[in-house]
Amino acid sequence: MDFAAARHKMVDNQVRPNGVTDRSLVTALLEVPREHYVPSAKAPMAYMDGDLPVAVVAHGKPDRCLLKPMVLARMIQALELAETDRVLDIACGTGYSTAVLARLAARVVGLEETPALAESAAKLLASAGVENASVVAGPLEAGWPADGPYDAILINGTVDSVPRALLAQLAEGGRLIAVVGTKAPGEVILYRSVNREPSGLPVFDAAAPVLPAFVTPPTFVF
């Protein structure tokens, strides 16, 4: 399979027609080999127009997915990353989103739930020559304050709501983006921290796999 040609088709047919115009982001999407972060048996599906399961996490289904290319691209574009930014990539899976972010920012920390998946992502990033990113393991909803504050935080999936613990890890002027609301489609919300007070603004509607770590347990009323 000609993966380079598939990348160009992904950008030309899925990404650009949906309003992604940031040149640095488009270049990153054209250059980062998405197939490198996909199990070999699924490599032919690496550039499909949809979410692609790539790993099983502790919660079982839904599997960890690479987000639909158009959704990921629009979310990253909305973050308006600068070359000096520090970024936290939550639910980074096998590291594809981390690799794309690393092309746009100074430093990226990928966060996964299990040490095994974090180690796998770190190895894939290292073998691809990504030097300004690392991957750590811990509860997704807790973030990774040790390397904060962050100029931007990306959550790769749908959440019921964004925990205050994550918003507190934003630097002044920092941005966090996630798909919020488990009824499809959810809303992609961009949060900004101004005077240490975050506020959110809807950007576009999108469906993405639910991240169980961010699902609020049901309450029972008697």
Side-chain angles (χ1 to χ4, degrees), residues 3-50:
F3 289 115
R7 276 195 296 280
H8 278 271
K9 286 183 180 179
M10 178 190 75
V11 170
D12 291 342
N13 298 338
Q14 300 177 45
V15 175
R16 283 194 173 110
N18 283 287
V20 178
T21 57
D22 183 280
R23 291 184 179 181
S24 296
L25 174 56
V26 168
T27 298
L29 294 170
L30 287 171
E31 293 180 350
V32 175
R34 191 173 168 96
E35 71 278 5
H36 178 72
Y37 300 92
V38 172
S40 57
K42 294 185 176 182
M45 298 182 286
Y47 297 95
M48 72 177 195
D49 185 13

Side-chain angles (χ1 to χ4, degrees), residues 91-177:
C92 67
T94 52
Y96 173 72
S97 55
T98 306
V100 174
L101 292 166
R103 294 291 186 105
L104 307 171
R107 180 70 183 166
V108 184
V109 177
L111 176 62
E112 260 306 338
E113 290 182 274
T114 66
L117 187 51
E119 182 179 355
S120 176
K123 288 180 178 178
L124 288 171
L125 288 163
S127 64
V130 180
E131 297 181 346
N132 61 327
S134 59
V135 185
V136 294
L140 302 184
E141 66 275 19
W144 195 256
D147 286 331
Y150 302 98
D151 300 293
I153 299 176
L154 170 69
I155 302 179
N156 287 272
T158 296
V159 304
D160 274 351
S161 61
V162 177
R164 294 287 300 183
L166 290 183
L167 294 169
Q169 292 172 41
L170 290 174
E172 175 64 21
R175 293 85 60 204
L176 180 150
I177 198 161

